[in-house]
Amino acid sequence: MSTSVTALKRKNIRGTACHLTVAMAFLFLASIFTPVDSKLSERKFNDLMSKFRKQHSNMDRGQYNLLYAQISNLVWNSPESVGAPTGDFANTTYSVVIYYVPPFINIDDKEAKDGDPGNVNQTRSIANGMLSGLTIDFLGLVEDAMDIEFKFIYPCEMAYYAANQVCRDDMLRSAESAKGMLDVFSTNSTRFYGGGVSLCGPEYRCLSAGAHKITEDLLLRFFVTQPYMEKGFRLVVKTDTPEPDFMSWAQPFDYNLWILVVVEIAVVGFAFMFVEGYGTNEMLSTNPIGLLFDTFHWSFTLVLGIADKQPSTHAGRTLVMAQLFFTLLLVAVYTGNINSFLLNVPTVTPIARFDDLINPLSERYNPDNVVCYATNQPSIKSYLDLELGLDQSVSVQTIEAPDIRDCMMKVYQGEAVATFYDEPIVKWRIANNFWKTGMCGDAGGYCSDPAILEQPECDCPFVDADGNCGETENKWTAVEGSLVTAGEMFNPFGYALILPRVEGVPTKHIAFSTVIQYIKENGEITNLDEKWVPASSSLKCASATLADIVLRLVNVQGLLTITAVLAFIGFIIGMIERFISVLVKVCPCTCMEKLKDAIEATEEEAHREHELGGVGAHAHHEERKASAIGEDPKLLENGNLPPPPMLPPPFSELSASEAALELQARLDRIEDLLDRAATRCTQAMKLEAAAGRKSAPKAVAARGPVKKKK
């Protein structure tokens, strides 16, 4: 089994060769060189050994012998199986080497400050709650299914404990230390409390559990069960609050939604042109361009909740009703999203997936990115080197830390952009070591005293008799942002139980694999996953100090800028209109060209009227002349006839200003004549009405009295 599925797909296998392939090749060569009795000669066996060592295989002779030594194995039948239950495991005790790796295994008083280093005396157990975790609960299910009992021991180096009275922290957290304890024939095992041959007993009833990932090295050194859980690596990054930009005010809506709103306003504006325009509504302009602006202004003001025009058709009223309903929905959704936007401040991450670290074509790739890796798990560094080795042009800076928590702290402090580790472990660490301790949110941070979680307590850990804060060396470091997982899980692997490889002893890993399959089929692993691995949606920041969730000026600067620009444009247009109006009144010559055109048109019409007026005046003069002669013939002899009426001069002889004054004078005279005519008409109607009332009694008297019918 390869260290990296991705590595196998890309055919870039480094270091040791794939040992499953080696084993198959070994069987093939053995079938060629082996006689019928299935035994290799010493010389041929050594030849095969040398060939495989040239391929950088790290198997020793004992490991090769295990491939061909005749072995027997114990079996276990589930209660639902056809075969009768076996009693090979009933009422037996197995030693289990564990190590501290939450959420798989939690160990209370793991440093053994209260005694019992390594848990040799079994002071920590599942029953008293001092041992807990996903793997511990899983082993409890195995105990119940196989009717066996587990004795738990963890690595605690004797020499270190004797010198310091505490177990060495890096060893009790190390999977390698647990594997070293399980290798009972090595001197490494005897360094620990409970280690050595006595750990497993004569029948080698021992195993190790924790978060052992199935790798080639693990398969070569130990018997490995099938995985009881399949997981992979997960990226850890820190969130940042995005800096507001010019369009931050529009963020509650997507840009596509804003485009849809503008399109809706335009469509309704065109609809208003069709049903209300072209003379239908007197409030709209008859000019096509003016009509376009009027209808769009009408549609836009309706969205703002202002009806500046009234529809004159039923279709127009329907459009107004629809637009007002759209306005109601738009305002409700926008204000609701603003509220949600304030309560859930959006965050961004520097990278979104592992590919952003190693792929120069990624949008978020940055050669200055720093990645932290934990040295307590060699597979992390191996995977990182493998991925970086695929492209020599990729540059990624790396830093190391003893444990994943140290790497996550470097990411939180900004020393690294990201780190990655087993998904269940990083999720548990984020929830318990950061979110529950207040190292999250915009008002998060940490104290130099790790036992203190809040800033007030860090700044003032105690108060003296006078009520003043005592002197302290504590220092509070404020940090904005929270640790979260990013991207999808990658480089999948499985967690398994491991048992020692011993010649001549029946193997037990097949039986344990059967139990694991039985437990998985019952859905118990899924329940344990949900119980011990926190979901991202369940994370809640424990910081007592919360940042103010308010809109700042920078959030609405774009909206204010747009409003100011529109107001300025309106002001400029108003000033231009006012300037033209004043200019026309103060300096008429500025509009002389247009005025001349208008006057010329008026002059032509007035000239025609003048000609017609002259003809009519001459006829009237002749009529008066004939009348005067009839009344007094001497007037003709004396030549004292009435003079003809005075006609106004023609417009062609006048200047533009004089023509305008002449037109105004004529209009005033016409208006005066109309007023006089109206007055005379009114008087005539009154006289006619009075005469009618006087003649009515005389008409009644002429008819005589009316006879009544009996």
Side-chain angles (χ1 to χ4, degrees), residues 52-71:
F52 287 119
R53 288 171 191 255
K54 289 180 181 179
Q55 299 178 8
H56 309 289
S57 174
N58 59 358
M59 290 195 221
D60 57 22
R61 178 164 180 161
Q63 291 169 338
Y64 277 111
N65 284 333
L66 285 174
L67 293 173
Y68 296 96
Q70 186 176 3
I71 61 173

Side-chain angles (χ1 to χ4, degrees), residues 216-231:
E216 297 92 337
D217 179 70
L218 201 69
L219 291 169
L220 290 173
R221 294 172 58 188
F222 303 96
F223 285 123
V224 181
T225 66
Q226 71 156 303
Y228 60 86
M229 176 178 284
E230 292 81 18
K231 289 294 181 179

